[in-house]
Amino acid sequence: MIYALTIAGFDGSAGAGVLADVKAMAHFGVYGEAVCTALTEQNEDEFVAPGWVPWERIHAQLELLFKKRNFQFVKIGLVENAEMLKRVVDFVRAASPDSFIVWDPIASATAGFNFMQASERAEFLQIMKRIDLVTPNQDEYEFLGLETAGGVVANGAAAAGRDFAMLLKGGHATGAEAVDVLYCRDGSRHEFSTPRLPGKGKHGTGCNLSSAILANVALGKTLPEACSEAKKYLQVLLQSGEGRLGFVK
């Protein structure tokens, strides 16, 4: 059994958050376990309240799960603020120093709710140096100040002075193709392109993509291979189901 852990919010529609993460991991044959950071009030179209879980409760969940097994593959999603992200990363790095950590930053809910504060940008950037892969969309990329002059990390994450790899997602951009760009720590750059689909899109695409990447890394694939497989998975998800919820059998 290959295990992975998601630390994220609970979305009752199961389109995003820990439920979506576990489903994506299971699709690839990885057993996903979860720690809840927020008990959100939402469906796929409407977001009412985040329902933040206090650190004491998050810490208690982490302690019990890590008491049972040493997770080598960890995905972090929705967190209340930079301080909460730091506490989570501190715990994971102390409990499992060599674990592969993916952070899918969530600046706002598609249904309309802002999470990140501009005043915390510097703190987020410091914390990201201890994370292996960050997966922002274009809005989150700009919000976090990850762009260099010209708006592009031209020479890769390492060459830009960053200690983490970054997958810049193209789903919120424009054009006939949805192009995701991976900037690796070694300075290499990889593009993953799929036809842009018409319509409003699905709920929870970032959650599904980042969890699929983590699952494929857990299976032994290189980071570019894992991103490629996850991109294919997401394309199937986008064409499945009804409305804004998708499902991949």
Side-chain angles (χ1 to χ4, degrees), residues 180-195:
D180 296 353
V181 184
L182 174 65
Y183 300 95
C184 292
R185 285 172 164 173
D186 62 6
S188 62
R189 180 180 184 277
H190 308 265
E191 289 191 3
F192 312 96
S193 179
T194 52

Side-chain angles (χ1 to χ4, degrees), residues 13-233:
S13 78
V18 294
L19 294 178
D21 294 339
V22 169
K23 286 190 293 182
M25 294 174 187
H27 173 81
F28 292 99
V30 173
Y31 193 101
E33 299 191 17
V35 166
C36 182
T37 61
L39 289 168
T40 69
E41 298 171 27
Q42 66 172 307
N43 56 38
E44 67 270 29
D45 296 315
E46 183 180 4
F47 192 100
V48 176
W52 298 118
V53 174
W55 168 245
E56 291 74 21
R57 298 275 311 272
I58 294 172
H59 184 260
Q61 294 174 74
L62 286 166
E63 278 200 319
L64 274 175
L65 290 180
F66 273 90
K67 181 179 181 181
K68 185 66 178 179
R69 57 185 53 87
N70 182 22
F71 292 96
Q72 292 296 301
F73 308 98
V74 178
K75 176 257 173 86
I76 303 172
L78 182 64
V79 290
E80 184 174 1
N81 49 37
E83 175 61 25
M84 194 65 75
L85 178 63
K86 181 180 184 299
R87 287 180 171 184
V88 169
V89 172
D90 284 348
F91 183 97
V92 173
R93 284 289 175 228
S96 183
D98 298 325
S99 60
F100 186 92
I101 302 177
V102 177
W103 179 42
D104 180 34
I106 304 173
S108 62
T110 305
F113 192 95
N114 293 325
F115 299 115
M116 292 183 178
Q117 303 300 318
S119 60
E120 296 185 306
R121 283 174 183 161
E123 294 175 73
F124 279 120
L125 288 171
Q126 280 298 116
I127 301 164
M128 283 190 288
K129 294 180 179 180
R130 303 174 62 209
I131 292 172
D132 296 281
L133 174 67
V134 180
T135 61
N137 61 30
Q138 189 66 44
D139 292 340
E140 291 152 355
Y141 170 78
E142 293 173 0
F143 178 88
L144 290 167
L146 291 169
E147 73 276 10
T148 59
V152 177
V153 186
N155 298 313
R162 299 190 177 90
D163 300 320
F164 54 89
M166 178 177 70
L167 181 71
L168 177 57
K169 298 177 292 192
H172 289 192
T174 59
E177 296 286 315
V179 182
D180 296 353
V181 184
L182 174 65
Y183 300 95
C184 292
R185 285 172 164 173
D186 62 6
S188 62
R189 180 180 184 277
H190 308 265
E191 289 191 3
F192 312 96
S193 179
T194 52
R196 190 176 301 279
L197 300 173
K200 192 175 181 180
K202 297 295 186 187
H203 173 53
T205 52
C207 301
N208 280 281
L209 182 67
S210 55
S211 296
I213 293 170
L214 184 70
N216 278 278
V217 170
L219 292 171
K221 292 183 172 63
T222 65
L223 186 53
E225 290 170 342
C227 289
S228 178
E229 290 300 315
K231 181 77 166 174
K232 295 173 187 175
Y233 170 80

